[in-house]
Amino acid sequence: MTIDLSALEQEMTAWRRDLHAHPEFGFEEKRTSAFVATKLREFGLDEVAEGIGGTGVVGTLKRGSSNRVIALRADMDALRITEQGTLDYRSQNSGTMHACGHDGHTAMLLGAAKLLAEEGGFEGTVRFVFQPAEEWGKGALAMLADGLMERFPFEEIYGLHNMPGLPVGHFQTRVGPIMSAEDNFEIVLKGVGGHAARPHWGNEVLVAACATVMNLQTIVSRRLSPTDIGVVSVTELITDGTRNALPGLARILGDARSFQPEVSAEIEKQMRIIAEGTALTYNVAAEVTYTREFVPLLNDAALVDEAFAAARTVFEPEHISTAHEPMTGSEDFARFLEHVPGCFVFVGNGKDSAPLHNPAYDFNDDGLLHGARLHATIIRQRLPSV
Ligand SMILES: [Zn+2]
Ligand SMILES: [Zn+2]
């Protein structure tokens, strides 16, 4: 049976606007995940599992006898941003907004599930993975910790994100690193504070903290290879000093970005050397806490070719490219790629779209059908009917 694509587009638009009007923050996607599960059951999927990693949903669709299993993923969470504007379907949840287009990603993956359930055209198993809490970088890990790979195993995974500034109907991706890791750090310096008039009686930490901040600037400029990309940003310096008292405690906080695990490891290593070495110079103590919030998103070369070949049948050939620049934003999809190979792509949200995470942003419904068809085409290409 062939599905009516313009009817599907209208349906996806209605779903997307309903989700937009009812945004929910990470791990609070109760209405959203119930909406998704209800639709997947309506489409007649073989299995719909709810509550995976909190509010995640996994739908399973099987056809034929092939043992191959491919996953498609969408994110469902919204942001704590107050929506501007007067859309009919604007957020009904004050202070929460779909400002990253995850309403659109969810509607596109639902559209693909409906299309594949009604039309088939493949042999094997498709997992539709709807993850919570992408914006926190915690939802994929929660699903994985809840046994995603053991209970709903798959061999490869695909995901997409809308891209403001890129015209609707355009597709871009790249081989290898496409989105960066985000690491956070905190350096705590401890000394002995005291009277501002008598610094030599104590062992204050502010000058040591300032030296540390300056020395951290040499990680990217002097310790990384000039051909590697890294960012080390100190964003806060907090002390317990006051106008006439020198501090005995200083906290230096910040954020580092990179595209290769080795670069992230090098930034951490150099940060520890600098923090401890500078502290020694000023005779104070340093303690470094370095955490990895998002891992870099590394696209598999062979699967980029597959996604690109699928894009050729959905988009105009002159509107697709594998030359997207690496971006220093981060994406939770990367966590799935620590388990299986996959490919993440960008699709246009329109030249005039407000930026992501902006109070005036809205997902462009003109892109819904492209996304659903791209998902479905990848499945039919990777799980061909015999
Ligand atoms: Zn976002
Ligand atoms: Zn997003």
Side-chain angles (χ1 to χ4, degrees):
M1 188 182 107
T2 307
I3 201 167
D4 177 344
L5 287 177
S6 73
L8 181 66
E9 186 177 24
Q10 279 180 25
E11 228 178 340
M12 281 193 287
T13 302
W15 300 336
R16 205 286 292 179
R17 293 181 179 191
D18 187 311
L19 295 167
H20 188 91
H22 302 96
E24 294 170 303
F25 194 65
F27 293 127
E28 294 169 7
E29 308 94 332
K30 289 203 163 47
R31 182 189 184 277
T32 309
S33 58
F35 183 100
V36 165
T38 303
K39 292 288 168 217
L40 295 177
R41 289 195 181 101
E42 268 173 37
F43 306 154
L45 263 64
D46 296 85
E47 188 189 352
V48 179
E50 294 178 76
I52 312 299
T55 42
V57 181
V58 181
T60 300
L61 179 65
K62 293 184 181 177
R63 288 286 184 274
S65 55
S66 164
N67 292 326
R68 299 258 296 130
V69 190
I70 311 282
L72 304 170
R73 169 275 202 178
D75 39 15
M76 302 188 291
D77 57 321
L79 289 147
R80 294 222 197 279
I81 293 176
T82 300
E83 184 164 7
Q84 276 176 5
T86 54
L87 296 169
D88 296 346
Y89 51 89
R90 66 184 171 278
S91 170
Q92 309 284 303
N93 299 345
S94 136
T96 307
M97 173 191 178
H98 269 298
C100 204
H102 299 183
D103 48 350
H105 305 161
T106 300
M108 288 192 274
L109 191 55
L110 283 174
K114 178 160 185 175
L115 201 160
L116 287 166
E118 286 197 12
E119 287 190 352
F122 66 95
E123 290 231 355
T125 300
V126 189
R127 307 270 191 216
F128 299 93
V129 177
F130 292 85
Q131 80 152 82
E134 188 285 325
E135 298 286 357
W136 289 33
K138 302 282 183 241
L141 278 179
M143 291 188 87
L144 291 160
D146 203 6
L148 178 73
M149 301 311 297
E150 296 76 28
R151 293 159 70 190
F152 311 99
F154 49 84
E155 295 154 26
E156 56 195 56
I157 188 164
Y158 298 83
L160 59 76
H161 206 292
N162 75 94
M163 182 61 69
L166 189 66
V168 171
H170 285 235
F171 163 104
Q172 293 192 348
T173 187
R174 70 177 278 114
V175 171
I178 183 164
M179 298 194 74
S180 76
E182 180 188 349
D183 304 340
N184 288 161
F185 59 85
E186 177 173 6
I187 302 169
V188 177
L189 299 180
K190 286 182 185 158
V192 180
H195 201 293
R198 289 184 289 275
H200 58 299
W201 280 13
N203 200 9
E204 68 89 16
V205 293
L206 185 56
V207 171
C210 291
T212 303
V213 171
M214 293 307 290
N215 290 340
L216 291 176
Q217 309 310 311
T218 63
I219 296 177
V220 173
S221 65
R222 285 297 172 267
R223 304 300 351 145
L224 296 188
S225 160
T227 57
D228 283 335
I229 301 172
V231 182
V232 175
S233 289
V234 174
T235 54
E236 289 170 88
L237 170 54
I238 303 157
T239 77
D240 67 351
T242 183
R243 191 184 59 82
N244 57 2
L246 292 160
L249 181 88
R251 294 170 61 220
I252 300 162
L253 294 104
D255 176 294
R257 306 284 168 134
S258 57
F259 290 94
Q260 302 288 354
E262 310 80 61
V263 175
S264 167
E266 189 63 22
I267 291 172
E268 178 181 0
K269 180 179 151 199
Q270 295 300 333
M271 185 171 291
R272 289 184 185 281
I273 292 171
I274 286 170
E276 283 156 23
T278 309
L280 191 67
T281 303
Y282 291 88
N283 194 27
V284 297
E287 200 177 278
V288 180
T289 307
Y290 196 94
T291 60
R292 292 185 170 79
E293 305 298 322
F294 285 85
V295 293
L297 201 166
L298 307 173
N299 272 342
D300 180 87
L303 300 191
V304 167
D305 286 347
E306 293 291 339
F308 191 69
R312 237 186 276 262
T313 71
V314 176
F315 303 89
E316 298 295 331
E318 65 272 25
H319 294 164
I320 63 176
S321 155
T322 55
H324 197 283
E325 293 283 307
M327 292 179 62
T328 50
S330 302
E331 172 47 75
D332 202 21
F333 181 79
R335 291 288 180 186
F336 299 113
L337 302 187
E338 295 187 311
H339 297 263
V340 291
C343 176
F344 193 70
V345 311
F346 298 115
V347 292
N349 200 55
K351 271 223 161 309
D352 303 326
S353 166
L356 299 172
H357 296 203
N358 181 291
Y361 172 87
D362 188 31
F363 181 85
N364 191 330
D365 291 322
D366 293 343
L368 285 168
L369 200 53
H370 291 119
R373 289 180 59 215
L374 179 68
H375 281 311
T377 306
I378 288 171
I379 293 302
R380 287 167 176 162
Q381 191 178 296
R382 298 299 288 152
L383 302 175
S385 292
V386 284

